Amino acid sequence: MPEFDSHTPNLARMYDYLLGGENNFAIDREAIDTLAELLPEAVPVARANRAFLQRAVRYLTGTGIRQFLHLGGGLPTQGNAHEVALGSRVVYVERDPVAAAHGRALLQADDGAVMLQADLLDTDDVLGRAADFLDLSQPVGLLLVSVLHFVLDDDEPHAMVARLRDALAPGSHLVVTHATSLVRAQGPGTLGVHRGAGGTDRTPQEIREFFGDFTLVSPGLVQAADWRPDRPRLVGSPSPASCLLVGVAQKAAKPQ
C-alpha cells in the first residue's frame, strides 16, 4: 500500500482541508493557506461545490436511486455521497494511489461503500470493476463533481463522458460540476483556480455538452449556489461560486 507522505502536498488531502476536514497534514494546510491568500474564493467555491453535491445526492435518492458511482471525488470525507445516501451502495474511483489507499482505510468499517484506484480515462476498466459492486442494469447516480476541469482537451473528456453515459441504464442521472470562465473575453485562464492546478475551465456550452441527450432537471445548468438551494439567497448577494456551473440530468427510458 502506498505510504502517506506527510512532506508533499496531496490534492485530495488539500481538498479535505478546504472542506474543514481532519484527514490532512500540515503541508496540505500550508498549501491551501497559501492558495487562499492568492485566491480568497477558493474556500467558498469548494464548500459551495460540496453543498451542491449533498443536495444533488439527496435529490437522486428522492427519485429512488440507491447506487452511486463517484469518479475523482478525492477522500470520502466531509459529507460525501455515502454519508448522505444512507443505505445506498457507493463506489468511489480515484486515480491517485495515495488518495485511494487513504480512502480505503477510511471506508473499512462501511459495508456500503468502496474505493477503487483506477484511471478515470479508462472507462472500460472503471465500469468493469464498478460492476463488481453495483448493478449497472439498474439506474445509477454518476457523480463527476469538480473532476472534469482537470481532464485536458487532449484527453477527449467529452468522448470519455459519452462512453459513461452510454453504459448507464435508463433512469440513471449524471451530476456534473465544472469551472467556467464566463468572462473569457478578458483572456484565457481568467479564473486561475483550476489552471493553476493543471486543469482548464470551459464555456457554459462546452459544459452543457457533457450531458449529451440526457434531460437536465430544473433549474438546469446554473451556478452552484442556485441549484435547488436549501434557503433563498439574499437579493443582490454575490454567489460564493460564480465560476462553478453545476447540473443534474436524467437518461430517458428506452422507447417501447
Side-chain angles (χ1 to χ4, degrees):
M1 183 176 72
E3 295 183 2
F4 301 158
D5 183 357
S6 62
H7 303 292
T8 303
N10 176 273
L11 189 59
R13 296 194 308 256
M14 290 164 61
Y15 193 60
D16 174 75
Y17 176 56
L18 269 173
L19 297 174
E22 299 178 352
N23 290 282
N24 49 74
F25 297 130
I27 192 68
D28 306 308
R29 297 189 288 273
E30 291 171 7
I32 288 299
D33 290 344
T34 299
L35 174 65
E37 290 181 5
L38 298 172
L39 297 164
E41 66 269 31
V43 172
V45 166
R47 295 185 178 180
N49 182 66
R50 180 50 54 94
F52 160 75
L53 168 67
Q54 294 168 347
R55 297 195 304 275
V57 170
R58 288 199 299 269
Y59 169 80
L60 295 190
T61 58
T63 71
I65 287 181
R66 292 295 181 270
Q67 49 181 3
F68 296 85
L69 179 56
H70 192 171
L71 303 184
L75 296 179
T77 64
Q78 298 304 303
N80 216 322
H82 73 286
E83 297 175 305
V84 177
L86 299 178
S88 298
R89 298 175 75 80
V90 181
V91 172
Y92 295 101
V93 180
E94 176 58 47
R95 184 178 185 177
D96 177 4
V98 173
H102 197 163
R104 284 193 293 270
L106 292 170
L107 294 173
Q108 278 184 337
D110 196 307
D111 294 333
V114 297
M115 170 71 81
L116 305 178
Q117 193 269 315
D119 187 340
L120 307 184
L121 299 177
D122 189 348
T123 53
D124 288 341
D125 180 54
V126 168
L127 292 168
R129 295 173 64 190
D132 292 336
F133 196 74
L134 305 177
D135 181 358
L136 298 183
S137 71
Q138 297 299 313
V140 172
L142 175 60
L143 310 178
L144 291 169
V145 177
S146 276
V147 64
L148 290 173
H149 42 238
F150 292 115
V151 182
L152 301 181
D153 291 339
D154 288 346
D155 290 320
E156 300 182 337
H158 287 92
M160 177 192 75
V161 178
R163 292 193 296 271
L164 293 169
R165 291 197 312 266
D166 289 344
L168 297 179
S172 295
H173 286 69
L174 171 62
V175 177
V176 169
T177 76
H178 198 300
T180 186
S181 179
L182 299 177
V183 286
R184 184 165 287 190
Q186 295 181 17
T190 303
L191 295 180
V193 178
H194 299 290
R195 289 188 184 277
T200 181
D201 55 273
R202 294 185 171 93
T203 67
Q205 179 56 36
E206 289 170 329
I207 298 169
R208 173 63 182 84
E209 291 170 1
F210 283 115
F211 295 100
D213 60 356
F214 282 26
T215 301
L216 279 165
V217 303
S218 177
L221 188 64
V222 296
Q223 295 178 16
D226 293 333
W227 198 91
R228 301 184 179 230
D230 294 327
R231 60 184 64 86
R233 185 142 46 100
L234 295 176
V235 175
S237 62
S239 168
S242 60
C243 63
L244 194 69
L245 291 185
V246 308
V248 177
Q250 182 179 28
K251 184 171 187 174
K254 293 181 179 179
Q256 299 295 324

